[in-house]
Amino acid sequence: MEIEKGIKGNMEMVEKEVELEHSKKKKHYRQGGVRTLPFILANEVCDRFASAGYHSNLISYLTQELNMPLVSASNTLTNFGGTSSFTPLIGALFADSFAGRFWTITVGCLIYELGLVSITVSTILPYFRPPACPTQVNCQEATSSQLSALYISLLLTSLGSGGIRPCVVPFSADQFNMTRSGVASRTWNLFNWYFFIMGFASLSALTIVVYVQDNIGWGWGLGIPTIAMFISIISFVLGFPLYKTVKPGGSPLIRLVQVTVAAFKKRNHTLPNHPKLLYHNKELDAAISLEGTLLHSNQYKWLDKAAIVTEEEIKDPDKSPNLWKLSTVHRVEELKSIIRMLPIWASGILLIASTSHIHSFVIQQARSMDRHLSPSFQISPANMSIFSVLTMMTGVILYERVFVPFARRFTKNPVGITCLQRMGVGLVINIVATIVSALVEIKRKNVAAKYNLLDSPKAIIPISVFWLVPQYCLHGVAEVFMSVGHLEFLFDQSPESMRSSATALYCITGAIGNYMGTLLVSLVHNYTSKDNNWLPDRNLNRGKLDYYYFLISGIQVINLIYYIICACFYTYKPLDEICDKYGEEDLKDGKDQENKNESMM
């Protein structure tokens, strides 16, 4: 009897433990979903509002308040822009390795806030500015000590963005079922709406913050983004109990190196006749394959040697493998996926390099043109970016609600066209936009010559600033295709345990592109003749900016040819998806909320 009672008691304890574990899993899966969006989106709106308000008109602060030459100011912003695009790789490695995405975003926001505070204080204190120079002729430039606050601010914001940018999209995706079946079952695309929300925040900054900077002062003009970033931190942290957080699966960089080392050590081994004879271990890969296991592919077969099981390793099958000598097929395919992505990823570098300085130059063009909407009101040069943002926001809606259903009839693809096709269209539109930019600059200078204003850099040329609108709109349409498609491609084709790192790759495209853009601008500035310099420091009217636009149009054509070749030979990652019953329950519970969200969108 006592034995029976003991057995019954043990069984009851086991049942209670199973029920407890089941309830924990159910609670985990019931986290996330649409309920988290108000907190995440509030954070993102305030964050992007702050960063757009800080960066969009900073070229004016450097040239008008700190009296920096145009090329020097443009290179300074581009260099720090490149730095802020490299730091996401560090943030991604921290997030994917041990910190997790939530804490990486939180710490990044705090560091970014410190950067905004430092530059806001510097705009208030006269010590950090040189004497005013209304004529912009023979101006006293800011000293190194005066520039220190600017550089500290740019450095802190670069470090802060390293924690925010690689984790925001993956963290948002963590709240939903992002398997192919899950994505196909939704009528809205996370990436499209992410760019739409970011566009809305940027639009708000370009209208409100830029107006304050130009008409009230830089103290309030940079103070408002500082306050917005503080609000974003609070809103993000308040949603912590509702977030679905994915535990880091260990350093992805180490796993990639382990596969490479194991393949090198077994370089003299012969591959088995069938890939099923290679090493598979679902239990070992469980933490890095929540959505499914990567299947064996026939590309880069020399890497498969890392998964060859030797006779010595067969002797003790229960022993944990030495991952520096033996890797699973899933881990080998992770490395293959990254290698396959790199040529497509690289196509974005030349695009960024050729367009990285356009924003700075177009602001200077707009400053010399008639910006009056009425006799008593004129728009700021930095406000011209509104047209690009508005086009992008409108384009995202039309793409999802009109283009995708139309394209689906012919392609039978649930998302209309593939990411690669979407990116190709964006590259073509970007070339057209740059050519239009060159033609508008020719028109602007012809009008300046007609009214004898070529030698008057501060004069307003009697040509409407709205001549610049077509190129802004074309760049906005290009972003709908290229930028959204590029990010979605990297997210979809990267291993699921490396999605923060894949988003960091998207940012690094901007980093390398910005540095190459700086090199290109510097070469053009230094090696074109002094009398007819293409990119002069003070008088754009005497420059050859149209020649520069035609040059980068040619670079983009070469880049398009390279991209088409890479896209034709690309192989999508093979994935055996897992359908999780708890995930299905969570989707069922949140179905009404998603439908409500869709109707709002």
Side-chain angles (χ1 to χ4, degrees):
M1 291 291 291
E2 291 181 1
I3 295 174
E4 290 179 0
K5 287 182 179 179
I7 293 174
K8 187 180 286 186
N10 288 335
M11 290 179 65
E12 289 177 354
M13 288 178 63
V14 171
E15 288 177 359
K16 287 181 179 179
E17 288 179 2
V18 171
E19 288 178 3
L20 181 63
E21 187 66 24
H22 178 81
S23 64
K24 285 181 178 178
K25 285 185 177 181
K26 202 165 184 180
K27 181 181 178 182
H28 170 73
Y29 283 107
R30 283 185 175 176
Q31 289 177 317
V34 179
R35 64 179 70 87
T36 62
L37 286 181
F39 299 96
I40 296 176
L41 294 182
N43 167 262
E44 284 310 296
V45 167
C46 294
D47 172 36
R48 183 53 61 96
F49 178 88
S51 60
Y54 173 54
H55 289 287
S56 61
N57 202 26
L58 203 56
I59 185 71
S60 297
Y61 179 74
L62 267 58
T63 56
Q64 304 295 317
E65 299 292 323
L66 299 183
N67 299 334
M68 292 179 68
L70 174 61
V71 171
S72 176
S74 181
N75 283 344
T76 297
L77 294 182
T78 305
N79 286 338
F80 275 98
T83 303
S84 65
S85 297
F86 262 122
T87 53
L89 180 60
I90 301 173
L93 292 175
F94 271 89
D96 285 341
S97 300
F98 60 88
R101 290 169 186 142
F102 172 82
W103 290 110
T104 304
I105 293 172
T106 303
V107 173
C109 287
L110 290 172
I111 296 174
Y112 201 102
E113 175 71 3
L114 290 176
L116 290 176
V117 169
S118 65
I119 195 168
T120 302
V121 171
S122 71
T123 60
I124 297 173
L125 300 178
Y127 169 77
F128 292 101
R129 296 192 306 275
C133 184
T135 61
Q136 290 293 293
V137 177
N138 298 323
C139 301
Q140 179 182 330
E141 296 182 24
T143 63
S144 56
S145 60
Q146 290 173 330
L147 291 173
S148 61
L150 171 69
Y151 293 145
I152 290 172
S153 171
L154 291 173
L155 179 61
L156 287 173
T157 54
S158 297
L159 292 174
S161 64
I164 301 170
R165 294 173 66 184
C167 299
V168 165
V169 173
F171 185 74
S172 301
D174 288 343
Q175 313 307 315
F176 300 94
N177 177 9
M178 292 303 293
T179 60
R180 290 176 185 173
S181 57
V183 172
S185 66
R186 285 193 292 270
T187 59
W188 52 276
N189 183 299
L190 175 65
F191 301 94
N192 286 339
W193 289 106
Y194 169 77
F195 272 85
F196 178 84
I197 293 297
M198 296 305 99
F200 172 78
S202 299
L203 182 65
S204 302
L206 289 170
T207 51
I208 299 172
V209 178
V210 171
Y211 177 82
V212 172
Q213 289 170 349
D214 286 344
N215 296 278
I216 297 177
W218 285 93
W220 275 109
L222 293 174
I224 292 175
T226 304
I227 297 169
M229 176 56 75
F230 180 73
I231 295 172
S232 79
I233 298 172
I234 295 175
S235 65
F236 184 69
V237 173
L238 286 176
F240 178 73
L242 300 177
Y243 298 143
K244 183 191 293 182
T245 55
V246 178
K247 291 183 179 179
S251 173
L253 184 60
I254 291 178
R255 287 203 304 276
L256 299 181
V257 173
Q258 286 174 334
V259 172
T260 306
V261 171
F264 179 78
K265 288 181 177 179
K266 294 180 177 179
R267 62 190 180 279
N268 296 323
H269 286 63
T270 303
L271 285 169
N273 296 327
H274 200 282
K276 287 185 177 180
L277 299 176
L278 297 172
Y279 184 57
H280 297 78
N281 191 329
K282 289 190 176 182
E283 185 178 350
L284 180 64
D285 294 332
I288 58 175
S289 57
L290 298 177
E291 293 179 3
T293 304
L294 291 172
L295 302 176
H296 178 266
S297 63
N298 292 321
Q299 287 180 307
Y300 314 115
K301 281 194 168 185
W302 62 275
L303 289 174
D304 290 339
K305 294 187 175 184
I308 295 176
V309 184
T310 62
E311 292 183 3
E312 183 182 346
E313 290 162 340
I314 293 175
K315 290 179 181 178
D316 193 358
D318 296 328
K319 183 180 178 181
S320 298
N322 181 350
L323 296 176
W324 293 96
K325 295 182 178 179
L326 179 63
S327 293
T328 63
V329 170
H330 179 86
R331 293 172 185 239
V332 172
E333 290 300 322
E334 282 188 329
L335 178 55
K336 287 184 181 181
S337 296
I338 296 297
I339 294 174
R340 280 194 293 263
M341 286 164 51
L342 289 179
I344 300 293
W345 162 79
S347 65
I349 295 176
L350 277 179
L351 176 65
I352 298 296
S354 58
T355 59
S356 58
H357 285 69
I358 286 181
H359 177 70
S360 299
F361 293 140
V362 173
I363 285 182
Q364 297 305 312
Q365 286 176 278
R367 193 174 295 281
S368 69
M369 301 170 77
D370 182 10
R371 294 177 277 115
H372 282 90
L373 293 178
S374 69
S376 59
F377 180 78
Q378 63 178 3
I379 62 175
S380 166
N383 283 144
M384 294 301 296
S385 298
I386 291 173
F387 295 101
S388 177
V389 176
L390 279 174
T391 306
M392 185 272 290
M393 293 172 64
T394 306
V396 163
I397 298 174
L398 294 176
Y399 182 90
E400 186 161 295
R401 299 303 180 189
V402 179
F403 179 80
V404 171
F406 176 77
R408 193 186 293 141
R409 295 178 181 178
F410 303 96
T411 64
K412 308 302 180 184
N413 188 331
V415 294
I417 58 176
T418 65
C419 295
L420 293 177
Q421 292 168 336
R422 187 173 185 173
M423 291 169 62
V425 173
L427 288 172
V428 172
I429 296 174
N430 229 33
I431 294 172
V432 175
T434 311
I435 293 173
V436 170
S437 300
L439 298 177
V440 171
E441 173 61 7
I442 293 173
K443 173 69 176 178
R444 188 191 70 87
K445 288 199 302 178
N446 286 341
V447 175
K450 179 180 178 181
Y451 289 91
N452 298 316
L453 297 174
L454 290 177
D455 294 313
S456 304
K458 297 292 290 183
I460 300 299
I461 301 170
I463 178 175
S464 174
V465 75
F466 293 102
W467 276 87
L468 300 173
V469 170
Q471 67 195 62
Y472 273 111
C473 292
L474 285 169
H475 280 298
V477 175
E479 189 172 1
V480 171
F481 285 89
M482 179 60 194
S483 298
V484 181
H486 197 192
L487 179 58
E488 186 173 5
F489 168 79
L490 293 174
F491 184 91
D492 179 65
Q493 292 300 298
S494 65
E496 65 175 88
S497 61
M498 300 183 185
R499 282 175 175 165
S500 293
S501 301
T503 311
L505 277 178
Y506 177 79
C507 300
I508 290 174
T509 305
I512 301 175
N514 278 326
Y515 288 133
M516 289 182 64
T518 297
L519 176 62
L520 178 63
V521 167
S522 297
L523 289 173
V524 170
H525 178 67
N526 292 331
Y527 290 98
T528 52
S529 62
K530 291 184 179 180
D531 295 333
N532 289 308
N533 196 292
W534 288 14
L535 304 172
D537 281 326
R538 297 294 178 186
N539 188 0
L540 200 60
N541 296 336
R542 284 295 183 184
K544 301 288 184 181
L545 185 58
D546 49 327
Y547 288 11
Y548 175 76
Y549 285 148
F550 282 127
L551 172 65
I552 61 178
S553 297
I555 293 173
Q556 289 182 63
V557 170
I558 296 172
N559 186 51
L560 176 63
I561 296 171
Y562 161 80
Y563 172 80
I564 292 173
I565 295 172
C566 293
C568 288
F569 289 96
Y570 183 77
T571 302
Y572 285 87
K573 73 176 183 182
L575 179 67
D576 182 20
E577 288 189 347
I578 295 175
C579 183
D580 195 299
K581 64 179 181 178
Y582 297 113
E584 290 177 347
E585 288 177 9
D586 180 60
L587 288 174
K588 187 177 180 180
D589 291 340
K591 188 175 180 181
D592 293 337
Q593 287 179 302
E594 287 199 13
N595 289 337
K596 182 180 178 182
N597 183 65
E598 289 167 16
S599 64
M600 290 174 63
M601 289 179 173

